[in-house]
């Protein structure tokens, strides 16, 4: 990340799981158990959940995992968490994000908040809240990096992979109610 080498650099939408857990604990200070809902075959999800588990443990949270390999398994995975967790953490996971409206059909009646660090599933998919990067700003940041390379100001080999520190909290008011 700090020194990618070669001709490769850019930006990443990596959103540290700490942000979602901290937001969840701010909104649900009494929470003791978090569900981790993710796709077992997505390496990015595995990495995020591993980091989330370590951070959750440092905050005294118990983690209950529910994994899926495809969208057809989501209903069973979510149902396995109902009654066992205070909230659900979802990493930046393509399968889970695409099924958020179905997930919320089970979690909203069960009054289980879902936290995800991707703006779209919170705004339109039914996740409760999240700390999200802004993909437009992230793309703009990558464009600025490209301009620096093209102008000779920087070389890709020396440019760290950029991430967005300017994140925003998004709460789906309807789902939160």
């Amino acid at each position: 990340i700090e020194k990618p080498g070669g001709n490769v650099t850019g930006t990443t939408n990596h959103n540290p799981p700490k942000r979602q857990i901290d937001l969840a604990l701010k909104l649900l200070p009494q929470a003791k158990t978090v569900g981790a809902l993710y796709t077992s075959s997505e390496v990015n999800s595995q990495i995020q959940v591993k980091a989330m588990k370590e951070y959750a443990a440092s905050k005294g949270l118990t983690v209950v995992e529910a994994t899926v390999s495809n969208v057809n398994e989501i209903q069973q995975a979510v149902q396995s968490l109902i009654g066992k967790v205070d909230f659900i953490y979802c990493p930046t996971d393509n399968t889970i994000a695409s099924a958020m409206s179905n997930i919320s059909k089970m979690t909203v009646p069960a009054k289980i908040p879902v936290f995800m660090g991707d703006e779209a599933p919170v705004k339109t998919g039914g996740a409760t809240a999240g700390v999200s990067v802004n993909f437009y700003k992230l793309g703009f940041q990558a464009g600025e990096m490209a301009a620096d390379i093209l102008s000779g100001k920087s070389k890709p080999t020396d440019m760290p992979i950029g991430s967005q520190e300017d994140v925003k909290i998004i709460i789906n008011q309807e789902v939160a109610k």
Side-chain angles (χ1 to χ4, degrees):
I1 298 281
E2 291 302 316
K3 206 143 174 65
N7 280 329
V8 176
T9 192
T11 58
T12 177
N13 69 341
H14 176 68
N15 198 346
K18 171 188 185 309
R19 292 174 176 165
Q20 307 316 315
I21 298 301
D22 286 347
L23 175 62
L25 290 175
K26 186 173 189 174
L27 298 175
L28 305 163
Q30 78 289 356
K32 300 286 182 229
T33 307
V34 54
L37 178 63
Y38 66 103
T39 307
S40 57
S41 60
E42 286 192 32
V43 175
N44 58 309
S45 295
Q46 294 170 14
I47 292 168
Q48 291 173 78
V49 169
K50 182 178 185 262
M52 183 279 289
K53 287 167 58 177
E54 291 170 5
Y55 187 71
S58 78
K59 292 294 189 178
L61 291 169
T62 302
V63 178
V64 178
E65 292 183 58
T67 62
V68 301
S69 58
N70 62 59
V71 293
N72 297 325
E73 298 172 356
I74 288 176
Q75 182 175 357
Q76 183 178 352
V78 173
Q79 286 177 339
S80 77
L81 296 173
I82 293 175
K84 295 178 185 168
V85 300
D86 297 311
F87 67 93
I88 296 174
Y89 161 82
C90 299
T92 307
D93 181 303
N94 295 314
T95 303
I96 300 301
S98 70
M100 192 53 69
S101 62
N102 290 331
I103 293 167
S104 71
K105 288 177 185 171
M106 293 175 276
T107 57
V108 169
K111 298 186 185 317
I112 300 175
V114 177
F115 293 84
M116 186 170 200
D118 187 343
E119 190 171 9
V122 176
K123 283 187 170 179
T124 61
T128 311
V131 180
S132 179
V133 298
N134 180 290
F135 288 100
Y136 176 83
K137 288 181 180 179
L138 199 60
F140 192 88
Q141 183 178 347
E144 289 178 322
M145 293 171 75
D148 287 348
I149 292 166
L150 293 172
S151 70
K153 191 173 169 182
S154 299
K155 293 181 182 177
T157 191
D158 300 324
M159 297 178 83
I161 303 295
S163 63
Q164 190 175 22
E165 296 302 319
D166 179 24
V167 294
K168 63 181 177 179
I169 295 173
I170 301 168
I171 298 175
N172 184 321
Q173 295 293 330
E174 184 178 324
V175 172
K177 286 178 189 172

